[in-house]
PDB file of all heavy atoms in Angstrom:
ATOM      1  N   TYR A 160     -25.982  43.970  49.935  1.00  0.00           N
ATOM      2  CA  TYR A 160     -26.312  43.936  48.507  1.00  0.00           C
ATOM      3  C   TYR A 160     -25.571  42.790  47.830  1.00  0.00           C
ATOM      4  O   TYR A 160     -24.339  42.779  47.773  1.00  0.00           O
ATOM      5  CB  TYR A 160     -25.941  45.254  47.833  1.00  0.00           C
ATOM      6  CG  TYR A 160     -26.836  46.403  48.219  1.00  0.00           C
ATOM      7  CD1 TYR A 160     -26.370  47.425  49.044  1.00  0.00           C
ATOM      8  CD2 TYR A 160     -28.160  46.465  47.772  1.00  0.00           C
ATOM      9  CE1 TYR A 160     -27.188  48.490  49.398  1.00  0.00           C
ATOM     10  CE2 TYR A 160     -28.987  47.523  48.121  1.00  0.00           C
ATOM     11  CZ  TYR A 160     -28.496  48.530  48.938  1.00  0.00           C
ATOM     12  OH  TYR A 160     -29.305  49.568  49.286  1.00  0.00           O
ATOM     13  N   VAL A 161     -26.330  41.832  47.297  1.00  0.00           N
ATOM     14  CA  VAL A 161     -25.733  40.673  46.627  1.00  0.00           C
ATOM     15  C   VAL A 161     -26.523  40.381  45.359  1.00  0.00           C
ATOM     16  O   VAL A 161     -27.705  40.710  45.258  1.00  0.00           O
ATOM     17  CB  VAL A 161     -25.727  39.435  47.545  1.00  0.00           C
ATOM     18  CG1 VAL A 161     -24.866  39.674  48.787  1.00  0.00           C
ATOM     19  CG2 VAL A 161     -27.138  39.020  47.946  1.00  0.00           C
ATOM     20  N   PRO A 162     -25.880  39.753  44.359  1.00  0.00           N
ATOM     21  CA  PRO A 162     -26.625  39.382  43.152  1.00  0.00           C
ATOM     22  C   PRO A 162     -27.603  38.254  43.455  1.00  0.00           C
ATOM     23  O   PRO A 162     -27.248  37.282  44.121  1.00  0.00           O
ATOM     24  CB  PRO A 162     -25.529  38.930  42.185  1.00  0.00           C
ATOM     25  CG  PRO A 162     -24.376  38.559  43.063  1.00  0.00           C
ATOM     26  CD  PRO A 162     -24.447  39.433  44.256  1.00  0.00           C
ATOM     27  N   TYR A 163     -28.829  38.400  42.971  1.00  0.00           N
ATOM     28  CA  TYR A 163     -29.839  37.375  43.198  1.00  0.00           C
ATOM     29  C   TYR A 163     -29.956  36.507  41.948  1.00  0.00           C
ATOM     30  O   TYR A 163     -30.296  36.985  40.860  1.00  0.00           O
ATOM     31  CB  TYR A 163     -31.200  37.987  43.539  1.00  0.00           C
ATOM     32  CG  TYR A 163     -32.202  36.931  43.954  1.00  0.00           C
ATOM     33  CD1 TYR A 163     -32.255  36.501  45.271  1.00  0.00           C
ATOM     34  CD2 TYR A 163     -33.041  36.329  43.025  1.00  0.00           C
ATOM     35  CE1 TYR A 163     -33.132  35.513  45.670  1.00  0.00           C
ATOM     36  CE2 TYR A 163     -33.934  35.337  43.412  1.00  0.00           C
ATOM     37  CZ  TYR A 163     -33.964  34.936  44.735  1.00  0.00           C
ATOM     38  OH  TYR A 163     -34.829  33.937  45.123  1.00  0.00           O
ATOM     39  N   ILE A 164     -29.693  35.227  42.117  1.00  0.00           N
ATOM     40  CA  ILE A 164     -29.724  34.260  41.022  1.00  0.00           C
ATOM     41  C   ILE A 164     -30.632  33.110  41.438  1.00  0.00           C
ATOM     42  O   ILE A 164     -30.462  32.532  42.515  1.00  0.00           O
ATOM     43  CB  ILE A 164     -28.306  33.731  40.727  1.00  0.00           C
ATOM     44  CG1 ILE A 164     -27.407  34.881  40.247  1.00  0.00           C
ATOM     45  CG2 ILE A 164     -28.337  32.602  39.703  1.00  0.00           C
ATOM     46  CD1 ILE A 164     -25.938  34.537  40.214  1.00  0.00           C
ATOM     47  N   ASP A 165     -31.617  32.793  40.599  1.00  0.00           N
ATOM     48  CA  ASP A 165     -32.495  31.659  40.909  1.00  0.00           C
ATOM     49  C   ASP A 165     -32.380  30.603  39.827  1.00  0.00           C
ATOM     50  O   ASP A 165     -31.543  30.700  38.924  1.00  0.00           O
ATOM     51  CB  ASP A 165     -33.935  32.106  41.140  1.00  0.00           C
ATOM     52  CG  ASP A 165     -34.598  32.676  39.886  1.00  0.00           C
ATOM     53  OD1 ASP A 165     -34.069  32.482  38.761  1.00  0.00           O
ATOM     54  OD2 ASP A 165     -35.658  33.329  40.023  1.00  0.00           O
ATOM     55  N   GLU A 166     -33.231  29.585  39.908  1.00  0.00           N
ATOM     56  CA  GLU A 166     -33.107  28.434  39.014  1.00  0.00           C
ATOM     57  C   GLU A 166     -33.553  28.730  37.592  1.00  0.00           C
ATOM     58  O   GLU A 166     -33.295  27.934  36.673  1.00  0.00           O
ATOM     59  CB  GLU A 166     -33.909  27.248  39.572  1.00  0.00           C
ATOM     60  CG  GLU A 166     -35.420  27.271  39.312  1.00  0.00           C
ATOM     61  CD  GLU A 166     -36.204  28.193  40.250  1.00  0.00           C
ATOM     62  OE1 GLU A 166     -35.574  28.978  40.985  1.00  0.00           O
ATOM     63  OE2 GLU A 166     -37.448  28.107  40.247  1.00  0.00           O
ATOM     64  N   THR A 167     -34.197  29.861  37.357  1.00  0.00           N
ATOM     65  CA  THR A 167     -34.682  30.190  36.017  1.00  0.00           C
ATOM     66  C   THR A 167     -33.629  30.898  35.174  1.00  0.00           C
ATOM     67  O   THR A 167     -33.809  31.036  33.962  1.00  0.00           O
ATOM     68  CB  THR A 167     -35.927  31.088  36.096  1.00  0.00           C
ATOM     69  OG1 THR A 167     -35.562  32.375  36.646  1.00  0.00           O
ATOM     70  CG2 THR A 167     -37.007  30.457  36.964  1.00  0.00           C
ATOM     71  N   LEU A 168     -32.552  31.348  35.787  1.00  0.00           N
ATOM     72  CA  LEU A 168     -31.542  32.114  35.059  1.00  0.00           C
ATOM     73  C   LEU A 168     -30.506  31.166  34.444  1.00  0.00           C
ATOM     74  O   LEU A 168     -29.867  30.384  35.160  1.00  0.00           O
ATOM     75  CB  LEU A 168     -30.835  33.093  35.992  1.00  0.00           C
ATOM     76  CG  LEU A 168     -29.839  34.051  35.319  1.00  0.00           C
ATOM     77  CD1 LEU A 168     -30.582  35.092  34.500  1.00  0.00           C
ATOM     78  CD2 LEU A 168     -28.942  34.717  36.364  1.00  0.00           C
ATOM     79  N   PRO A 169     -30.315  31.210  33.112  1.00  0.00           N
ATOM     80  CA  PRO A 169     -29.282  30.371  32.496  1.00  0.00           C
ATOM     81  C   PRO A 169     -27.900  30.717  33.045  1.00  0.00           C
ATOM     82  O   PRO A 169     -27.600  31.884  33.331  1.00  0.00           O
ATOM     83  CB  PRO A 169     -29.387  30.721  31.005  1.00  0.00           C
ATOM     84  CG  PRO A 169     -30.753  31.303  30.831  1.00  0.00           C
ATOM     85  CD  PRO A 169     -31.068  32.003  32.119  1.00  0.00           C
ATOM     86  N   LYS A 170     -27.068  29.712  33.201  1.00  0.00           N
ATOM     87  CA  LYS A 170     -25.755  29.939  33.792  1.00  0.00           C
ATOM     88  C   LYS A 170     -24.920  30.929  32.991  1.00  0.00           C
ATOM     89  O   LYS A 170     -24.114  31.673  33.556  1.00  0.00           O
ATOM     90  CB  LYS A 170     -25.018  28.612  33.937  1.00  0.00           C
ATOM     91  CG  LYS A 170     -25.636  27.697  34.987  1.00  0.00           C
ATOM     92  CD  LYS A 170     -24.874  26.386  35.129  1.00  0.00           C
ATOM     93  CE  LYS A 170     -25.531  25.512  36.193  1.00  0.00           C
ATOM     94  NZ  LYS A 170     -24.837  24.195  36.333  1.00  0.00           N
ATOM     95  N   GLU A 171     -25.117  30.928  31.683  1.00  0.00           N
ATOM     96  CA  GLU A 171     -24.334  31.852  30.864  1.00  0.00           C
ATOM     97  C   GLU A 171     -24.696  33.313  31.133  1.00  0.00           C
ATOM     98  O   GLU A 171     -23.973  34.226  30.710  1.00  0.00           O
ATOM     99  CB  GLU A 171     -24.491  31.532  29.372  1.00  0.00           C
ATOM    100  CG  GLU A 171     -25.915  31.570  28.832  1.00  0.00           C
ATOM    101  CD  GLU A 171     -26.601  30.209  28.892  1.00  0.00           C
ATOM    102  OE1 GLU A 171     -26.190  29.372  29.726  1.00  0.00           O
ATOM    103  OE2 GLU A 171     -27.542  29.994  28.106  1.00  0.00           O
ATOM    104  N   ASN A 172     -25.810  33.536  31.832  1.00  0.00           N
ATOM    105  CA  ASN A 172     -26.213  34.913  32.146  1.00  0.00           C
ATOM    106  C   ASN A 172     -25.820  35.349  33.557  1.00  0.00           C
ATOM    107  O   ASN A 172     -26.109  36.487  33.952  1.00  0.00           O
ATOM    108  CB  ASN A 172     -27.733  35.060  31.979  1.00  0.00           C
ATOM    109  CG  ASN A 172     -28.180  34.946  30.538  1.00  0.00           C
ATOM    110  OD1 ASN A 172     -27.360  35.009  29.614  1.00  0.00           O
ATOM    111  ND2 ASN A 172     -29.472  34.769  30.314  1.00  0.00           N
ATOM    112  N   TYR A 173     -25.205  34.458  34.329  1.00  0.00           N
ATOM    113  CA  TYR A 173     -24.847  34.826  35.708  1.00  0.00           C
ATOM    114  C   TYR A 173     -24.004  36.098  35.749  1.00  0.00           C
ATOM    115  O   TYR A 173     -24.182  36.940  36.629  1.00  0.00           O
ATOM    116  CB  TYR A 173     -24.058  33.688  36.379  1.00  0.00           C
ATOM    117  CG  TYR A 173     -24.878  32.491  36.792  1.00  0.00           C
ATOM    118  CD1 TYR A 173     -26.235  32.394  36.521  1.00  0.00           C
ATOM    119  CD2 TYR A 173     -24.272  31.427  37.453  1.00  0.00           C
ATOM    120  CE1 TYR A 173     -26.969  31.282  36.898  1.00  0.00           C
ATOM    121  CE2 TYR A 173     -24.998  30.300  37.844  1.00  0.00           C
ATOM    122  CZ  TYR A 173     -26.340  30.234  37.557  1.00  0.00           C
ATOM    123  OH  TYR A 173     -27.055  29.136  37.936  1.00  0.00           O
ATOM    124  N   ALA A 174     -23.107  36.221  34.803  1.00  0.00           N
ATOM    125  CA  ALA A 174     -22.169  37.343  34.828  1.00  0.00           C
ATOM    126  C   ALA A 174     -22.829  38.677  34.503  1.00  0.00           C
ATOM    127  O   ALA A 174     -22.191  39.721  34.611  1.00  0.00           O
ATOM    128  CB  ALA A 174     -21.021  37.086  33.858  1.00  0.00           C
ATOM    129  N   THR A 175     -24.106  38.642  34.129  1.00  0.00           N
ATOM    130  CA  THR A 175     -24.799  39.894  33.781  1.00  0.00           C
ATOM    131  C   THR A 175     -25.600  40.468  34.946  1.00  0.00           C
ATOM    132  O   THR A 175     -26.198  41.532  34.821  1.00  0.00           O
ATOM    133  CB  THR A 175     -25.763  39.672  32.599  1.00  0.00           C
ATOM    134  OG1 THR A 175     -26.848  38.814  33.022  1.00  0.00           O
ATOM    135  CG2 THR A 175     -25.042  39.026  31.431  1.00  0.00           C
ATOM    136  N   ILE A 176     -25.635  39.754  36.083  1.00  0.00           N
ATOM    137  CA  ILE A 176     -26.478  40.156  37.206  1.00  0.00           C
ATOM    138  C   ILE A 176     -25.656  40.953  38.217  1.00  0.00           C
ATOM    139  O   ILE A 176     -24.722  40.435  38.832  1.00  0.00           O
ATOM    140  CB  ILE A 176     -27.122  38.937  37.892  1.00  0.00           C
ATOM    141  CG1 ILE A 176     -27.878  38.088  36.872  1.00  0.00           C
ATOM    142  CG2 ILE A 176     -28.045  39.378  39.015  1.00  0.00           C
ATOM    143  CD1 ILE A 176     -28.988  38.820  36.137  1.00  0.00           C
ATOM    144  N   SER A 177     -26.008  42.196  38.396  1.00  0.00           N
ATOM    145  CA  SER A 177     -25.309  43.069  39.346  1.00  0.00           C
ATOM    146  C   SER A 177     -25.786  42.806  40.769  1.00  0.00           C
ATOM    147  O   SER A 177     -26.924  42.364  40.988  1.00  0.00           O
ATOM    148  CB  SER A 177     -25.566  44.531  38.987  1.00  0.00           C
ATOM    149  OG  SER A 177     -25.141  45.388  40.022  1.00  0.00           O
ATOM    150  N   ASN A 178     -24.927  43.101  41.725  1.00  0.00           N
ATOM    151  CA  ASN A 178     -25.359  43.029  43.125  1.00  0.00           C
ATOM    152  C   ASN A 178     -26.264  44.196  43.487  1.00  0.00           C
ATOM    153  O   ASN A 178     -26.795  44.235  44.599  1.00  0.00           O
ATOM    154  CB  ASN A 178     -24.156  42.972  44.072  1.00  0.00           C
ATOM    155  CG  ASN A 178     -23.349  44.250  44.093  1.00  0.00           C
ATOM    156  OD1 ASN A 178     -23.185  44.915  43.059  1.00  0.00           O
ATOM    157  ND2 ASN A 178     -22.823  44.613  45.247  1.00  0.00           N
ATOM    158  N   ARG A 179     -26.457  45.135  42.576  1.00  0.00           N
ATOM    159  CA  ARG A 179     -27.396  46.242  42.794  1.00  0.00           C
ATOM    160  C   ARG A 179     -28.606  46.147  41.873  1.00  0.00           C
ATOM    161  O   ARG A 179     -29.367  47.114  41.732  1.00  0.00           O
ATOM    162  CB  ARG A 179     -26.703  47.593  42.578  1.00  0.00           C
ATOM    163  CG  ARG A 179     -25.594  47.891  43.597  1.00  0.00           C
ATOM    164  CD  ARG A 179     -26.112  47.919  45.023  1.00  0.00           C
ATOM    165  NE  ARG A 179     -25.092  48.293  45.980  1.00  0.00           N
ATOM    166  CZ  ARG A 179     -25.012  49.479  46.578  1.00  0.00           C
ATOM    167  NH1 ARG A 179     -25.894  50.406  46.301  1.00  0.00           N
ATOM    168  NH2 ARG A 179     -24.059  49.718  47.453  1.00  0.00           N
ATOM    169  N   ALA A 180     -28.796  44.979  41.254  1.00  0.00           N
ATOM    170  CA  ALA A 180     -29.970  44.809  40.384  1.00  0.00           C
ATOM    171  C   ALA A 180     -31.254  44.914  41.181  1.00  0.00           C
ATOM    172  O   ALA A 180     -32.284  45.358  40.664  1.00  0.00           O
ATOM    173  CB  ALA A 180     -29.892  43.465  39.658  1.00  0.00           C
ATOM    174  N   LEU A 181     -31.224  44.479  42.436  1.00  0.00           N
ATOM    175  CA  LEU A 181     -32.378  44.568  43.316  1.00  0.00           C
ATOM    176  C   LEU A 181     -32.091  45.567  44.434  1.00  0.00           C
ATOM    177  O   LEU A 181     -30.972  45.609  44.958  1.00  0.00           O
ATOM    178  CB  LEU A 181     -32.706  43.204  43.924  1.00  0.00           C
ATOM    179  CG  LEU A 181     -33.156  42.106  42.961  1.00  0.00           C
ATOM    180  CD1 LEU A 181     -33.390  40.805  43.723  1.00  0.00           C
ATOM    181  CD2 LEU A 181     -34.420  42.511  42.210  1.00  0.00           C
ATOM    182  N   SER A 182     -33.094  46.322  44.800  1.00  0.00           N
ATOM    183  CA  SER A 182     -32.968  47.238  45.928  1.00  0.00           C
ATOM    184  C   SER A 182     -32.905  46.441  47.230  1.00  0.00           C
ATOM    185  O   SER A 182     -33.177  45.235  47.260  1.00  0.00           O
ATOM    186  CB  SER A 182     -34.162  48.198  45.971  1.00  0.00           C
ATOM    187  OG  SER A 182     -35.355  47.470  46.269  1.00  0.00           O
ATOM    188  N   ASP A 183     -32.563  47.116  48.301  1.00  0.00           N
ATOM    189  CA  ASP A 183     -32.558  46.492  49.621  1.00  0.00           C
ATOM    190  C   ASP A 183     -33.912  45.860  49.910  1.00  0.00           C
ATOM    191  O   ASP A 183     -34.005  44.700  50.334  1.00  0.00           O
ATOM    192  CB  ASP A 183     -32.214  47.562  50.663  1.00  0.00           C
ATOM    193  CG  ASP A 183     -32.110  47.011  52.078  1.00  0.00           C
ATOM    194  OD1 ASP A 183     -31.506  45.950  52.260  1.00  0.00           O
ATOM    195  OD2 ASP A 183     -32.640  47.666  52.998  1.00  0.00           O
ATOM    196  N   ASP A 184     -34.967  46.595  49.660  1.00  0.00           N
ATOM    197  CA  ASP A 184     -36.324  46.116  49.905  1.00  0.00           C
ATOM    198  C   ASP A 184     -36.673  44.934  49.002  1.00  0.00           C
ATOM    199  O   ASP A 184     -37.228  43.924  49.464  1.00  0.00           O
ATOM    200  CB  ASP A 184     -37.306  47.269  49.668  1.00  0.00           C
ATOM    201  CG  ASP A 184     -38.744  46.876  49.933  1.00  0.00           C
ATOM    202  OD1 ASP A 184     -39.079  46.562  51.092  1.00  0.00           O
ATOM    203  OD2 ASP A 184     -39.550  46.887  48.975  1.00  0.00           O
ATOM    204  N   ALA A 185     -36.318  45.021  47.725  1.00  0.00           N
ATOM    205  CA  ALA A 185     -36.662  43.958  46.774  1.00  0.00           C
ATOM    206  C   ALA A 185     -35.919  42.662  47.086  1.00  0.00           C
ATOM    207  O   ALA A 185     -36.468  41.566  46.915  1.00  0.00           O
ATOM    208  CB  ALA A 185     -36.355  44.417  45.353  1.00  0.00           C
ATOM    209  N   LEU A 186     -34.687  42.768  47.549  1.00  0.00           N
ATOM    210  CA  LEU A 186     -33.937  41.568  47.885  1.00  0.00           C
ATOM    211  C   LEU A 186     -34.541  40.877  49.099  1.00  0.00           C
ATOM    212  O   LEU A 186     -34.668  39.643  49.139  1.00  0.00           O
ATOM    213  CB  LEU A 186     -32.473  41.922  48.137  1.00  0.00           C
ATOM    214  CG  LEU A 186     -31.510  40.766  48.392  1.00  0.00           C
ATOM    215  CD1 LEU A 186     -31.623  39.679  47.319  1.00  0.00           C
ATOM    216  CD2 LEU A 186     -30.078  41.277  48.474  1.00  0.00           C
ATOM    217  N   TRP A 187     -34.949  41.655  50.115  1.00  0.00           N
ATOM    218  CA  TRP A 187     -35.650  41.056  51.251  1.00  0.00           C
ATOM    219  C   TRP A 187     -36.918  40.338  50.782  1.00  0.00           C
ATOM    220  O   TRP A 187     -37.236  39.238  51.246  1.00  0.00           O
ATOM    221  CB  TRP A 187     -36.021  42.119  52.277  1.00  0.00           C
ATOM    222  CG  TRP A 187     -34.953  42.430  53.279  1.00  0.00           C
ATOM    223  CD1 TRP A 187     -34.397  43.648  53.559  1.00  0.00           C
ATOM    224  CD2 TRP A 187     -34.317  41.505  54.178  1.00  0.00           C
ATOM    225  NE1 TRP A 187     -33.460  43.536  54.549  1.00  0.00           N
ATOM    226  CE2 TRP A 187     -33.385  42.243  54.954  1.00  0.00           C
ATOM    227  CE3 TRP A 187     -34.438  40.135  54.392  1.00  0.00           C
ATOM    228  CZ2 TRP A 187     -32.594  41.639  55.936  1.00  0.00           C
ATOM    229  CZ3 TRP A 187     -33.649  39.525  55.368  1.00  0.00           C
ATOM    230  CH2 TRP A 187     -32.737  40.274  56.121  1.00  0.00           C
ATOM    231  N   LYS A 188     -37.644  40.937  49.842  1.00  0.00           N
ATOM    232  CA  LYS A 188     -38.883  40.316  49.373  1.00  0.00           C
ATOM    233  C   LYS A 188     -38.619  38.996  48.653  1.00  0.00           C
ATOM    234  O   LYS A 188     -39.416  38.045  48.774  1.00  0.00           O
ATOM    235  CB  LYS A 188     -39.639  41.285  48.466  1.00  0.00           C
ATOM    236  CG  LYS A 188     -40.275  42.451  49.238  1.00  0.00           C
ATOM    237  CD  LYS A 188     -40.991  43.423  48.322  1.00  0.00           C
ATOM    238  CE  LYS A 188     -41.641  44.549  49.136  1.00  0.00           C
ATOM    239  NZ  LYS A 188     -42.262  45.580  48.270  1.00  0.00           N
TER     240      LYS A 188
END
Side-chain angles (χ1 to χ4, degrees):
Y160 289 108
V161 297
Y163 188 85
I164 297 168
D165 66 15
E166 80 281 11
T167 67
L168 185 72
K170 291 181 180 178
E171 58 268 24
N172 292 346
Y173 285 3
T175 68
I176 306 301
S177 168
N178 67 324
R179 295 300 184 105
L181 295 178
S182 67
D183 183 44
D184 181 65
L186 185 51
W187 274 124
K188 288 179 179 176

